[in-house]
Amino acid sequence: YNKETGLGKTATRPKMCNTDFDEDYYDNRLSMLMHGQQPEGFPDVKGEPTLHPFWAAGFSFSRGHFIVQVPYDRYLPMVFQGEEINLGLRGWTYGYDYYTPESSILYHYYNAGPKGENRKVESFYEHSDAYQGLEKAAMARLLGVIQLLPDTKQEGKEDNSEEESQEEAIKWNHVEEKKYGIGKVRTVEKFLKTFGINIYTREVEHHLCQFVGKPMNSMFIPHLRKNGMGIDYDTIDFEFKNPVKHGKQWDSENAEDVDEEEEEEEVEEEK
């Protein structure tokens, strides 16, 4: 962007559609969904923002009731990675939807100095030795409070060993769970199924970014509640699958919608 005017020099913008499990080295059950590098390109949706599934910590604005309904959890010491899936999923279950604007309007300086040189930025990790054990306990809470700690017996597996079946469940801090937990408008299960996430196998259906954009807007925006209070996912029957392996199922979905519309028009003409 132009440093003198503050205006952007590009017409591209990022969208939140990439996520994958970041494996915990010491306990795989504490692996979390982390939104990594997001794609930036020219929007295929014009004249309106683009709906996307994930919340971005770097650029977020809303009406004030969002932070009232979904406050930052104060029981997560020494946690940095994990903030986005925690607040994002909680907000989604409260009925909030996330959009990216048609063009970039905000930029970040992370470690660039006045002359463009890289500079060291201090972070709280420098003090990790003074708070040993807190990060693991906090991560257990972060995942537990949003129902992303899998059961010991993994779904779809019948060959679990006796040792695995007797593995002690992860304990986590439940204090003020209702205040910092999930909402009642949508379920975590619906979120996971809709966007191709399996917490038992720790796998995601990749290439979600191919769907996020015009296809997702076209399919989901028509389900916006009449009062404008979010998309009614109860009326959406869609489970994202990797389009590289399974093809673009939304093309067939749209084709079915077109066929139904044509049939209705034919019936009207016959009448």
Side-chain angles (χ1 to χ4, degrees):
Y1 73 98
N2 187 310
K3 294 182 180 179
E4 295 182 0
T5 66
L7 298 177
K9 295 181 179 180
T10 175
T12 61
R13 58 90 184 94
K15 59 182 179 181
M16 294 291 290
C17 53
N18 267 337
T19 193
D20 213 334
F21 283 96
D22 184 42
E23 184 175 354
D24 186 282
Y25 181 79
Y26 298 101
D27 191 336
N28 191 49
R29 295 172 299 171
L30 294 179
S31 299
M32 66 170 180
L33 282 169
M34 188 169 72
H35 312 324
Q37 184 68 38
Q38 302 300 315
E40 180 165 339
F42 297 100
D44 58 354
V45 176
K46 304 292 185 179
E48 63 182 57
T50 299
L51 180 69
H52 57 182
F54 307 127
W55 176 81
F59 176 53
S60 173
F61 68 93
S62 65
R63 292 187 182 274
H65 51 69
F66 177 84
I67 202 64
V68 174
Q69 298 278 7
V70 192
Y72 277 84
D73 190 342
R74 62 176 181 161
Y75 299 103
L76 300 177
M78 300 304 294
V79 166
F80 177 72
Q81 302 292 357
E83 169 198 14
E84 290 183 324
I85 188 59
N86 181 271
L87 267 77
L89 183 50
R90 287 166 56 204
W92 193 87
T93 62
Y94 269 91
Y96 291 100
D97 298 314
Y98 307 119
Y99 296 84
T100 184
E102 188 175 343
S103 60
S104 292
I105 59 175
L106 182 70
Y107 302 87
H108 284 271
Y109 274 123
Y110 280 103
N111 65 336
K115 298 181 180 180
E117 75 279 9
N118 289 335
R119 59 183 179 181
K120 183 179 179 181
V121 178
E122 298 294 335
S123 64
F124 63 92
Y125 287 123
E126 281 83 0
H127 309 288
S128 58
D129 290 343
Y131 300 95
Q132 293 185 12
L134 284 183
E135 183 179 0
K136 180 176 180 179
M139 187 56 64
R141 175 187 168 86
L142 183 149
L143 296 173
V145 81
I146 57 175
Q147 300 180 2
L148 291 190
L149 279 178
D151 296 331
T152 301
K153 182 175 177 59
Q154 294 187 353
E155 186 181 78
K157 290 188 176 182
E158 298 179 355
D159 58 346
N160 288 0
S161 68
E162 183 177 348
E163 181 180 350
E164 287 176 330
S165 64
Q166 294 179 354
E167 186 175 14
E168 184 178 354
I170 294 178
K171 296 179 180 179
W172 56 278
N173 182 4
H174 290 257
V175 64
E176 294 194 273
E177 178 181 356
K178 183 177 181 180
K179 178 178 180 180
Y180 298 109
I182 61 171
K184 297 181 179 180
V185 177
R186 303 166 181 156
T187 66
V188 172
E189 181 182 15
K190 182 68 174 180
F191 177 85
L192 299 176
K193 286 187 175 181
T194 301
F195 299 113
I197 300 167
N198 190 317
I199 66 170
Y200 297 96
T201 62
R202 288 295 194 259
E203 295 175 330
V204 302
E205 296 286 340
H206 292 111
H207 302 290
L208 178 60
C209 294
Q210 292 188 25
F211 175 64
V212 175
K214 190 173 182 179
M216 184 173 175
N217 268 46
S218 299
M219 289 183 63
F220 288 10
I221 295 297
H223 295 269
L224 184 68
R225 290 185 173 87
K226 292 182 179 180
N227 61 7
M229 299 293 284
I231 292 171
D232 185 359
Y233 276 84
D234 288 338
T235 63
I236 295 177
D237 183 19
F238 178 83
E239 296 182 15
F240 176 78
K241 299 293 183 183
N242 186 338
V244 174
K245 295 181 178 180
H246 305 282
K248 296 180 179 180
Q249 79 245 51
W250 54 89
D251 286 344
S252 60
E253 294 276 356
N254 291 334
E256 290 176 3
D257 292 340
V258 171
D259 291 341
E260 290 177 1
E261 291 175 1
E262 291 178 348
E263 289 177 4
E264 291 176 359
E265 290 175 0
E266 292 175 358
V267 170
E268 288 296 326
E269 290 177 359
E270 290 177 0
K271 289 181 178 180

